[in-house]
PDB file of all heavy atoms in Angstrom:
ATOM      1  N   LEU A  39     -13.033  -9.162  13.252  1.00 54.00           N
ATOM      2  CA  LEU A  39     -12.539 -10.518  13.307  1.00 54.00           C
ATOM      3  C   LEU A  39     -11.867 -10.764  14.662  1.00 54.00           C
ATOM      4  O   LEU A  39     -11.136  -9.890  15.134  1.00 54.00           O
ATOM      5  CB  LEU A  39     -11.503 -10.757  12.212  1.00 54.00           C
ATOM      6  CG  LEU A  39     -11.998 -10.810  10.775  1.00 54.00           C
ATOM      7  CD1 LEU A  39     -10.801 -10.841   9.863  1.00 54.00           C
ATOM      8  CD2 LEU A  39     -12.864 -12.016  10.551  1.00 54.00           C
ATOM      9  N   ALA A  48      -3.134 -21.102   5.924  1.00 90.00           N
ATOM     10  CA  ALA A  48      -2.480 -20.481   4.750  1.00 90.00           C
ATOM     11  C   ALA A  48      -1.625 -19.317   5.141  1.00 90.00           C
ATOM     12  O   ALA A  48      -0.510 -19.125   4.606  1.00 90.00           O
ATOM     13  CB  ALA A  48      -3.551 -20.060   3.733  1.00 90.00           C
ATOM     14  N   ALA A  51       1.549 -20.662   6.788  1.00 93.00           N
ATOM     15  CA  ALA A  51       2.463 -21.202   5.802  1.00 93.00           C
ATOM     16  C   ALA A  51       3.192 -20.063   5.061  1.00 93.00           C
ATOM     17  O   ALA A  51       4.388 -20.157   4.793  1.00 93.00           O
ATOM     18  CB  ALA A  51       1.695 -22.083   4.811  1.00 93.00           C
ATOM     19  N   GLY A  77      18.308  -4.200  -0.484  1.00 95.00           N
ATOM     20  CA  GLY A  77      18.680  -4.974   0.694  1.00 95.00           C
ATOM     21  C   GLY A  77      17.628  -4.943   1.799  1.00 95.00           C
ATOM     22  O   GLY A  77      17.976  -5.045   2.971  1.00 95.00           O
ATOM     23  N   GLN A  93      18.898  -0.465   5.237  1.00 98.00           N
ATOM     24  CA  GLN A  93      20.184  -0.015   5.746  1.00 98.00           C
ATOM     25  C   GLN A  93      20.709   1.125   4.857  1.00 98.00           C
ATOM     26  O   GLN A  93      20.597   1.024   3.625  1.00 98.00           O
ATOM     27  CB  GLN A  93      21.160  -1.200   5.743  1.00 98.00           C
ATOM     28  CG  GLN A  93      22.565  -0.834   6.196  1.00 98.00           C
ATOM     29  CD  GLN A  93      22.730  -0.690   7.667  1.00 98.00           C
ATOM     30  OE1 GLN A  93      22.186  -1.516   8.404  1.00 98.00           O
ATOM     31  NE2 GLN A  93      23.411   0.317   8.104  1.00 98.00           N
ATOM     32  N   ASN A 100      21.406   8.935  -0.872  1.00 96.00           N
ATOM     33  CA  ASN A 100      21.091  10.112  -1.727  1.00 96.00           C
ATOM     34  C   ASN A 100      22.272  11.097  -1.577  1.00 96.00           C
ATOM     35  O   ASN A 100      23.199  10.856  -0.792  1.00 96.00           O
ATOM     36  CB  ASN A 100      19.773  10.724  -1.303  1.00 96.00           C
ATOM     37  CG  ASN A 100      19.742  11.263   0.085  1.00 96.00           C
ATOM     38  OD1 ASN A 100      20.755  11.655   0.651  1.00 96.00           O
ATOM     39  ND2 ASN A 100      18.571  11.350   0.698  1.00 96.00           N
ATOM     40  N   LEU A 110      13.123   4.345   1.479  1.00 98.00           N
ATOM     41  CA  LEU A 110      12.278   4.378   2.653  1.00 98.00           C
ATOM     42  C   LEU A 110      10.842   3.984   2.319  1.00 98.00           C
ATOM     43  O   LEU A 110      10.207   3.223   3.038  1.00 98.00           O
ATOM     44  CB  LEU A 110      12.324   5.767   3.318  1.00 98.00           C
ATOM     45  CG  LEU A 110      13.692   6.216   3.842  1.00 98.00           C
ATOM     46  CD1 LEU A 110      13.604   7.722   4.268  1.00 98.00           C
ATOM     47  CD2 LEU A 110      14.161   5.356   4.990  1.00 98.00           C
ATOM     48  N   MET A 123      -0.485  -9.427   1.723  1.00 94.00           N
ATOM     49  CA  MET A 123      -0.286 -10.689   1.003  1.00 94.00           C
ATOM     50  C   MET A 123      -0.578 -11.887   1.905  1.00 94.00           C
ATOM     51  O   MET A 123      -1.196 -12.869   1.464  1.00 94.00           O
ATOM     52  CB  MET A 123       1.168 -10.777   0.502  1.00 94.00           C
ATOM     53  CG  MET A 123       1.459  -9.837  -0.649  1.00 94.00           C
ATOM     54  SD  MET A 123       3.178  -9.947  -1.167  1.00 94.00           S
ATOM     55  CE  MET A 123       3.143 -11.590  -1.904  1.00 94.00           C
ATOM     56  N   GLY A 128      -5.278 -18.067   0.900  1.00 82.00           N
ATOM     57  CA  GLY A 128      -6.419 -18.915   1.256  1.00 82.00           C
ATOM     58  C   GLY A 128      -7.735 -18.201   1.235  1.00 82.00           C
ATOM     59  O   GLY A 128      -8.782 -18.746   1.648  1.00 82.00           O
ATOM     60  N   ASP A 142       5.510  11.670   6.003  1.00 98.00           N
ATOM     61  CA  ASP A 142       6.090  12.720   6.790  1.00 98.00           C
ATOM     62  C   ASP A 142       7.498  12.300   7.152  1.00 98.00           C
ATOM     63  O   ASP A 142       7.712  11.198   7.663  1.00 98.00           O
ATOM     64  CB  ASP A 142       5.304  13.003   8.079  1.00 98.00           C
ATOM     65  CG  ASP A 142       3.915  13.513   7.813  1.00 98.00           C
ATOM     66  OD1 ASP A 142       3.763  14.385   6.964  1.00 98.00           O
ATOM     67  OD2 ASP A 142       2.936  13.006   8.447  1.00 98.00           O
ATOM     68  N   LEU A 150      20.490   1.919  10.244  1.00 98.00           N
ATOM     69  CA  LEU A 150      19.459   0.900   9.971  1.00 98.00           C
ATOM     70  C   LEU A 150      18.117   1.466  10.403  1.00 98.00           C
ATOM     71  O   LEU A 150      17.950   1.905  11.551  1.00 98.00           O
ATOM     72  CB  LEU A 150      19.757  -0.368  10.785  1.00 98.00           C
ATOM     73  CG  LEU A 150      18.824  -1.526  10.585  1.00 98.00           C
ATOM     74  CD1 LEU A 150      18.987  -2.113   9.169  1.00 98.00           C
ATOM     75  CD2 LEU A 150      19.037  -2.617  11.645  1.00 98.00           C
ATOM     76  N   GLY A 158      -2.443  -5.473  10.595  1.00 96.00           N
ATOM     77  CA  GLY A 158      -2.874  -6.789  10.141  1.00 96.00           C
ATOM     78  C   GLY A 158      -4.343  -7.051  10.376  1.00 96.00           C
ATOM     79  O   GLY A 158      -5.013  -7.595   9.513  1.00 96.00           O
ATOM     80  N   VAL A 177      -8.040   0.382   3.062  1.00 98.00           N
ATOM     81  CA  VAL A 177      -7.466   0.490   4.393  1.00 98.00           C
ATOM     82  C   VAL A 177      -6.260   1.425   4.325  1.00 98.00           C
ATOM     83  O   VAL A 177      -5.386   1.240   3.453  1.00 98.00           O
ATOM     84  CB  VAL A 177      -6.978  -0.906   4.908  1.00 98.00           C
ATOM     85  CG1 VAL A 177      -6.357  -0.743   6.296  1.00 98.00           C
ATOM     86  CG2 VAL A 177      -8.103  -1.890   4.951  1.00 98.00           C
ATOM     87  N   VAL A 191      11.963   8.531  12.092  1.00 98.00           N
ATOM     88  CA  VAL A 191      12.530   9.263  10.980  1.00 98.00           C
ATOM     89  C   VAL A 191      11.478   9.527   9.918  1.00 98.00           C
ATOM     90  O   VAL A 191      11.620  10.538   9.167  1.00 98.00           O
ATOM     91  CB  VAL A 191      13.754   8.543  10.351  1.00 98.00           C
ATOM     92  CG1 VAL A 191      14.853   8.427  11.386  1.00 98.00           C
ATOM     93  CG2 VAL A 191      13.390   7.195   9.802  1.00 98.00           C
ATOM     94  N   ILE A 196      -0.136   4.481   3.836  1.00 98.00           N
ATOM     95  CA  ILE A 196      -0.305   3.793   2.540  1.00 98.00           C
ATOM     96  C   ILE A 196      -1.737   3.318   2.467  1.00 98.00           C
ATOM     97  O   ILE A 196      -2.186   2.553   3.302  1.00 98.00           O
ATOM     98  CB  ILE A 196       0.667   2.637   2.386  1.00 98.00           C
ATOM     99  CG1 ILE A 196       2.112   3.203   2.483  1.00 98.00           C
ATOM    100  CG2 ILE A 196       0.442   1.898   1.069  1.00 98.00           C
ATOM    101  CD1 ILE A 196       3.102   2.285   3.079  1.00 98.00           C
ATOM    102  N   PHE A 200      -8.592  -3.398  -1.588  1.00 96.00           N
ATOM    103  CA  PHE A 200      -8.759  -4.882  -1.689  1.00 96.00           C
ATOM    104  C   PHE A 200     -10.100  -5.115  -2.331  1.00 96.00           C
ATOM    105  O   PHE A 200     -11.115  -4.526  -1.995  1.00 96.00           O
ATOM    106  CB  PHE A 200      -8.738  -5.519  -0.295  1.00 96.00           C
ATOM    107  CG  PHE A 200      -7.462  -5.289   0.442  1.00 96.00           C
ATOM    108  CD1 PHE A 200      -7.374  -4.317   1.407  1.00 96.00           C
ATOM    109  CD2 PHE A 200      -6.363  -6.027   0.158  1.00 96.00           C
ATOM    110  CE1 PHE A 200      -6.192  -4.086   2.088  1.00 96.00           C
ATOM    111  CE2 PHE A 200      -5.144  -5.816   0.810  1.00 96.00           C
ATOM    112  CZ  PHE A 200      -5.075  -4.841   1.770  1.00 96.00           C
ATOM    113  N   ILE A 206     -16.397 -17.184 -10.362  1.00 54.00           N
ATOM    114  CA  ILE A 206     -16.823 -17.577 -11.705  1.00 54.00           C
ATOM    115  C   ILE A 206     -15.681 -17.426 -12.689  1.00 54.00           C
ATOM    116  O   ILE A 206     -14.864 -16.631 -12.658  1.00 54.00           O
ATOM    117  CB  ILE A 206     -18.022 -16.722 -12.167  1.00 54.00           C
ATOM    118  CG1 ILE A 206     -19.170 -16.972 -11.242  1.00 54.00           C
ATOM    119  CG2 ILE A 206     -18.356 -17.019 -13.603  1.00 54.00           C
ATOM    120  CD1 ILE A 206     -20.368 -16.138 -11.498  1.00 54.00           C
TER     121      ILE A 206
END
Side-chain angles (χ1 to χ4, degrees):
L39 290 172
Q93 177 79 45
N100 64 26
L110 296 172
M123 289 178 69
D142 295 316
L150 183 70
V177 178
V191 298
I196 300 148
F200 301 98
I206 298 174

